[in-house]
Amino acid sequence: MADTNELFETMQTTRAMRRLRPDPVPDALIRKILEAGICAPNGGNTQRWRFLVVKDQAIKRKVQQYYKRAFDEVVGPRYLSSPPPPGVSRDAYNRQHAAVEYLTDHFHEAPVWIVACLEEGSASPTRWSGASIYPAVQNMLLAARALGLGATLTTRHLLFEKETEAALGLPAGVHSYAILPIGYPMGHFGPVGRGPLSEIVYADRWGQPYLS
């Protein structure tokens, strides 16, 4: 039987690692991450997921320009005007903002990107489309953590979806749902900051406390 303590520790310490070293990541480790991704559930097991592994600096620089623009125009101001989320102190939130800004400026320097996509053809994305790709993304984040690699789930490029998908060279009918920048972390893994279950879990009826 797998070590359940190790499994839960991996989940509890898989936080966003936004400060990544530019050192190359072996292809064998990226393959392990991708193999973990395709173990995930997906709608009807249709396996419409597609993954683009990007190392080309020219491509990454094109996308980074829009990534930074999204920060300057939307994400940065939102961070500065928002209160800390549950379970996160103001100091920790300020450090998170600094890390987000660092990733913004160095996004293209992450040695590997995995762009998580769905091949949707002429169908329009729906609220349940993400169910066929985001479980794979979470599997890949957990796999990266288990391999000692830093990563984060980011969707900010979708604020300029047409421009960034064109820069990535995605064909018609294929849409990106996330980019995972992957590399060796500059910092250390640690516990995620989250609020208590008592504030977010209800029993049977909305607003009725869940008592465990």
Side-chain angles (χ1 to χ4, degrees):
M1 178 180 292
D3 187 335
T4 54
N5 290 332
E6 183 177 344
L7 172 62
F8 278 92
E9 181 182 0
T10 298
M11 290 189 291
Q12 291 162 357
T13 59
T14 302
R15 64 183 184 187
M17 302 299 282
R18 299 182 176 94
R19 300 178 187 270
L20 305 173
R21 304 199 317 246
D23 309 57
V25 175
D27 290 335
L29 298 187
I30 298 301
R31 183 178 180 87
K32 282 182 175 291
I33 292 171
L34 293 165
E35 288 172 342
I38 63 171
C39 290
N42 62 102
N45 196 28
T46 54
Q47 301 180 50
R48 293 181 295 114
W49 47 37
R50 300 292 182 267
F51 304 98
L52 180 65
V53 178
V54 181
K55 297 182 183 180
D56 188 297
Q57 275 290 321
I59 295 173
K60 289 190 288 184
R61 283 184 181 278
K62 288 179 183 178
V63 175
Q64 191 268 346
Q65 292 175 8
Y66 292 104
Y67 196 73
K68 178 169 173 52
R69 182 176 167 188
F71 178 85
D72 293 340
E73 296 178 5
V74 180
V75 177
R78 185 174 64 202
Y79 260 100
L80 292 175
S81 62
S82 299
V88 179
S89 68
R90 168 51 67 180
D91 286 345
Y93 194 51
N94 289 342
R95 290 195 298 272
Q96 178 179 322
H97 174 75
V100 169
E101 190 167 11
Y102 180 91
L103 178 62
T104 297
D105 294 334
H106 299 271
F107 193 45
H108 57 290
E109 296 174 5
V112 181
W113 289 0
I114 296 178
V115 185
C117 307
L118 281 178
E119 190 167 36
E120 299 177 284
S122 59
S124 299
T126 64
R127 288 178 63 187
W128 57 83
S129 297
S132 289
I133 189 64
Y134 287 124
V137 168
Q138 180 64 8
N139 270 17
M140 291 191 289
L141 292 172
L142 291 170
R145 168 67 184 92
L147 294 169
L149 291 166
T152 187
L153 160 61
T154 182
T155 58
R156 192 196 311 168
H157 69 291
L158 296 178
L159 291 173
F160 294 97
E161 181 179 3
K162 290 183 179 179
E163 294 87 347
T164 54
E165 290 189 346
L168 290 165
L170 301 186
V174 174
H175 295 289
S176 63
Y177 279 72
I179 297 178
L180 280 66
I182 297 173
Y184 291 101
M186 293 182 181
H188 302 285
F189 294 102
V192 299
R194 301 291 188 269
L197 291 181
S198 60
E199 295 182 3
I200 58 174
V201 182
Y202 307 125
D204 294 324
R205 293 174 180 81
W206 194 266
Q208 182 168 293
Y210 172 77
L211 302 176
S212 59

